């Protein structure tokens, strides 16, 4: 949510920064937010004035009653009218404040000055690691099906498309990846492991900016107004909401595994095959709490921790500087999501004979060095003479 103080003191700076996102709707939204903020301040000022008048009237009336024993009827009526005006203004102020908060929640963070302008097509590659797998290999969904570890059809039968089923060694691979990442982040990177709730309140989703903008992408329970977490970032970032942290304890680092649930309502037709865009997936998240002046350094540190996962899994990658129109700025990092990691493992480490070798760092967690095709069922035994 936009810092309203910054919008009041430096409106042109805010408008210029958000214009870099390339969304003309943000200009109209800022106009509405500024108008509501001005109305709120005007109402608050008038309310303060009336409350001051009422307090002074109460002081004068108390002295009059002490001398005369009672107030004249006309004065009593005037005081009652003043109370009505205060109540009406309070209702108006509450309504305007609610509208202002709702609108302000749609205003994104300001992009950092060093980011390139434009949309995702203008993302800048900062560095790369490793060599991509040669072209011409099988896609991960074919590899997974041939190995008997991925069953997309039965997942669709159970819950609809976007809900994969991992079978046998595939299920062990999922469990092994989770444990490998958590051990790495807690044992070598110094994070404290957290197991948060997998459902959260509305205000928790608002705390990380998922609501109201992404409400259509969320799974929620109607009777309780609880939301299935789209990422562990949501509950973990809110751990210290409404708290004052001791600065001497900073930075704080947390890592958490959760299943994640996303409707992906706006992603129809994109990456629909396989594991690249699913509605339920597992992910290990990294979250750090730091002083604002240390934010950039902490973000680089988290990026290095996420890179360590990919390097030990022997997966090539690129680090990109997101363009201003493609940015979500939070001090968190994925460490990392499993479906895309599994897809990359299968496609990067596939062998000509059909098996998939597992990286040395991961093999102990899965209990095998390679994933091979499932063994054929044993032949039926026969008895008796031919």
């Amino acid at each position: 949510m936009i810092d309203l103080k910054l919008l009041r003191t430096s409106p042109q700076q805010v408008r210029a920064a958000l214009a870099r996102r390339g969304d003309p709707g943000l200009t109209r939204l800022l106009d509405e937010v500024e108008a509501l903020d001005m109305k709120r301040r005007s109402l608050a000022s008038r309310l303060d004035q009336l409350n001051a008048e009422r307090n002074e009237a109460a002081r004068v009336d108390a002295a009059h009653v002490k001398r005369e024993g009672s107030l004249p009827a006309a004065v009593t009526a005037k005081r009652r009218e003043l109370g009505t005006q205060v109540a009406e203004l309070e209702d108006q102020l509450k309504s305007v404040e609610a509208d202002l908060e709702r609108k302000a929640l749609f205003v994104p963070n300001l992009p950092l000055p060093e980011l390139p302008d434009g949309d995702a097509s203008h993302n800048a590659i900062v560095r790369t690691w490793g060599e991509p797998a040669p072209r011409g290999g099988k896609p991960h969904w074919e590899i997974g099906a041939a190995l008997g570890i991925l069953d997309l059809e039965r997942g669709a039968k159970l819950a609809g498309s976007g809900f994969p089923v991992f079978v046998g060694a595939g299920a062990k691979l999922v469990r092994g990846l989770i444990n490998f990442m958590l051990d790495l982040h807690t044992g070598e990177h110094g994070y404290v492991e957290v197991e948060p709730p997998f459902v959260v309140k509305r205000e928790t989703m608002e705390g990380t900016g998922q609501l109201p903008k992404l409400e259509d992408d969320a799974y929620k329970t109607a009777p309780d107004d609880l939301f299935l977490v789209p990422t562990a970032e949501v509950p973990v970032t809110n751990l210290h909401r409404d708290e004052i942290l001791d600065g001497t304890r900073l930075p704080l680092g947390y890592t958490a595994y959760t299943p994640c649930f996303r409707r992906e309502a706006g992603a129809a037709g994109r990456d629909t095959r396989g594991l690249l865009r699913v509605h339920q997936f597992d992910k290990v998240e990294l979250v750090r709490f730091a002083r604002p002046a240390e934010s950039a350094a902490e973000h680089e540190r988290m990026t290095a921790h996420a890179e360590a996962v990919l390097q030990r899994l022997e997966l090539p990658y690129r680090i990109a500087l997101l363009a201003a129109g493609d940015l979500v700025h939070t001090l968190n990092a994925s460490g990392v999501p499993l479906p895309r990691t599994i897809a990359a493992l299968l496609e990067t480490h596939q062998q000509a004979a059909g098996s998939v070798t597992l990286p040395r760092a991961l093999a102990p967690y899965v209990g095998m060095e390679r994933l091979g095709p499932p063994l054929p069922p044993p032949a039926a035994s026969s008895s008796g003479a031919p």
Side-chain angles (χ1 to χ4, degrees):
M1 185 173 75
I2 188 68
D3 182 348
L4 292 177
K5 291 182 180 179
L6 179 62
L7 182 58
R8 293 184 201 120
T9 58
S10 305
Q12 295 309 313
Q13 174 189 340
V14 171
R15 288 178 177 274
L18 290 180
R20 298 176 57 213
R21 287 180 172 269
D23 182 356
L26 287 176
T27 299
R28 295 189 297 271
L29 181 59
L30 284 174
D31 290 341
E32 295 174 4
V33 169
E34 281 192 294
L36 285 168
D37 187 43
M38 291 178 63
K39 186 174 182 180
R40 184 198 66 79
R41 285 185 288 159
S42 175
L43 288 171
S45 176
R46 177 58 179 157
L47 184 60
D48 288 343
Q49 180 183 350
L50 289 182
N51 277 324
E53 292 178 11
R54 188 164 66 169
N55 291 338
E56 176 61 19
R59 186 188 66 79
V60 171
D61 292 348
H64 183 89
V65 170
K66 187 175 182 179
R67 292 193 311 269
E68 306 294 335
S70 63
L71 290 174
V75 173
T76 301
K78 188 175 181 180
R79 302 297 186 252
R80 187 179 299 113
E81 180 183 353
L82 180 59
T84 299
Q85 291 177 356
V86 168
E88 290 175 350
L89 270 178
E90 287 176 339
D91 289 342
Q92 292 179 42
L93 182 59
K94 288 180 182 178
S95 177
V96 169
E97 286 177 336
D99 287 345
L100 176 59
E101 181 177 0
R102 180 174 56 84
K103 293 282 187 182
L105 284 171
F106 280 95
V107 181
N109 291 323
L110 305 186
L112 296 173
E114 60 266 27
L115 298 181
D117 291 347
D119 57 17
S121 64
H122 295 86
N123 291 349
I125 303 302
V126 177
R127 59 182 177 273
T128 63
W129 186 90
E131 292 294 330
R135 293 183 178 274
K138 293 181 179 180
H140 66 272
W141 57 86
E142 290 185 9
I143 300 171
L147 294 176
I149 65 173
L150 177 63
D151 195 333
L152 298 175
E153 289 73 19
R154 287 191 172 92
K157 179 177 70 174
L158 296 175
S161 63
F163 293 91
V165 172
F166 292 96
V167 181
K172 292 186 69 175
L173 178 60
V174 170
R175 179 158 42 93
L177 280 166
I178 293 169
N179 289 334
F180 158 69
M181 294 178 195
L182 289 174
D183 284 352
L184 175 63
H185 295 317
T186 57
E188 297 188 25
H189 299 155
Y191 289 84
V192 175
E193 184 177 351
V194 175
E195 183 174 340
F198 297 164
V199 294
V200 293
K201 298 177 180 178
R202 177 173 291 272
E203 54 263 39
T204 304
M205 292 281 280
E206 290 175 346
T208 47
Q210 266 70 25
L211 297 185
K213 184 177 181 180
L214 301 177
E215 185 158 356
D216 288 343
D217 275 341
Y219 288 98
K220 59 183 177 181
T221 62
D224 306 306
D225 200 33
L226 294 174
F227 294 80
L228 278 68
V229 296
T231 164
E233 171 199 351
V234 174
V236 178
T237 302
N238 278 273
L239 278 177
H240 296 297
R241 189 182 74 226
D242 300 328
E243 297 179 19
I244 298 177
L245 296 179
D246 181 355
T248 62
R249 296 177 56 208
L250 298 177
L252 299 175
Y254 296 108
T255 184
Y257 154 74
T258 65
C260 305
F261 304 89
R262 300 179 186 179
R263 293 185 61 241
E264 298 282 5
R270 293 189 295 163
D271 300 327
T272 54
R273 297 197 68 179
L275 299 173
L276 297 188
R277 193 173 296 278
V278 292
H279 300 306
Q280 176 183 327
F281 59 95
D282 298 297
K283 183 156 68 81
V284 173
E285 189 76 8
L286 305 176
V287 173
R288 296 187 75 83
F289 294 82
R291 296 177 183 274
E294 300 168 356
S295 178
E298 288 297 322
H299 194 271
E300 285 299 316
R301 183 174 289 111
M302 283 196 302
T303 301
H305 296 160
E307 287 185 69
V309 173
L310 299 179
Q311 290 174 8
R312 297 198 189 190
L313 294 179
E314 302 168 24
L315 296 175
Y317 61 85
R318 299 181 300 178
I319 298 296
L321 191 63
L322 299 183
D326 194 40
L327 174 69
V328 177
H329 176 70
T330 55
L331 199 60
N332 74 285
S334 294
V336 289
L338 267 64
R340 291 173 181 252
T341 303
I342 292 173
L345 282 169
L346 296 181
E347 294 182 2
T348 300
H349 299 307
Q350 61 180 300
Q351 304 298 306
S355 64
V356 173
T357 58
L358 293 180
R360 184 172 59 181
L362 179 62
Y365 287 90
V366 186
M368 59 188 75
E369 295 181 351
R370 67 177 57 239
L371 303 173
L375 296 174
S381 60
S382 59
S383 59

